[in-house]
């Protein structure tokens, strides 16, 4: 029986396809984030929604789904749970009354700050061994991938 190598070796390392390596890195990052945020009772998708609402207050559920890279159904569940927990609140759109806009509450802002401290620790681990220039190159490259492939 052939045993696959551990991450970082063979096709799971520098010889692997870029798309696979990105997926492997994302899976490892997500698992780490799940563990770090789990003790706060927050999932990575909830953290993304809270983060996007802090950056862009007043987003609708549909807008949240787009910027959080989640399905509208998933965002609907997240919104219900965050609203139930008092982390976000809804207001009707001033022009389009049927559209609901979501914002963080004080409780949501405090929760997000706790999450951000843990997320920053993960970011620091991700950037270990990179100097400022190399980190900038990685950030630019990842952003370019998202931009270039968004309509593929």
């Amino acid at each position: 029986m052939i045993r696959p190598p551990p991450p970082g070796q063979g096709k799971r390392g520098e010889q692997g396809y870029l798309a696979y390596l990105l997926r492997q890195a994302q899976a490892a990052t997500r698992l780490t984030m799940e563990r770090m945020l789990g003790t706060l009772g927050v999932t990575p998708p909830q953290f993304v929604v809270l983060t996007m609402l802090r950056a862009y207050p007043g987003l609708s559920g549909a807008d949240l789904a787009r910027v959080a890279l989640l399905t509208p159904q998933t965002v609907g569940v997240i919104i219900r749970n965050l609203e139930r927990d008092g982390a976000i609140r809804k207001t009707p759109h001033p022009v389009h009354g049927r559209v609901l806009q979501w914002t963080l509450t004080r409780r949501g802002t405090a929760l997000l700050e706790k999450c951000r401290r843990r997320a920053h620790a993960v970011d620091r681990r991700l950037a270990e061994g990179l100097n400022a220039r190399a980190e900038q190159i990685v950030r630019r490259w990842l952003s370019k991938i998202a931009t270039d492939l968004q309509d593929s």
Side-chain angles (χ1 to χ4, degrees), residues 71-142:
T71 66
Q73 296 82 0
T74 298
V75 168
V77 171
I78 290 169
I79 283 172
R80 281 192 297 280
N81 289 337
L82 291 174
E83 183 183 31
R84 179 199 65 216
D85 295 343
I88 62 173
R89 71 173 158 267
K90 64 185 168 197
T91 56
H93 188 280
V95 176
H96 308 289
R98 289 180 28 185
V99 174
L100 297 176
Q101 296 180 298
W102 296 95
T103 55
L104 294 178
T105 61
R106 272 195 207 139
R107 180 181 175 111
T109 300
L111 178 61
L112 178 58
E113 285 310 309
K114 291 176 187 174
C115 292
R116 285 171 50 100
R117 283 193 287 279
R118 294 174 186 210
H120 287 307
V122 174
D123 267 3
R124 283 191 300 276
R125 282 184 66 191
L126 291 172
E128 274 179 18
L130 297 176
N131 62 33
R133 175 80 175 121
E135 183 177 343
Q136 180 186 28
I137 289 168
V138 169
R139 287 176 180 276
R140 187 174 294 138
W141 179 68
L142 291 170

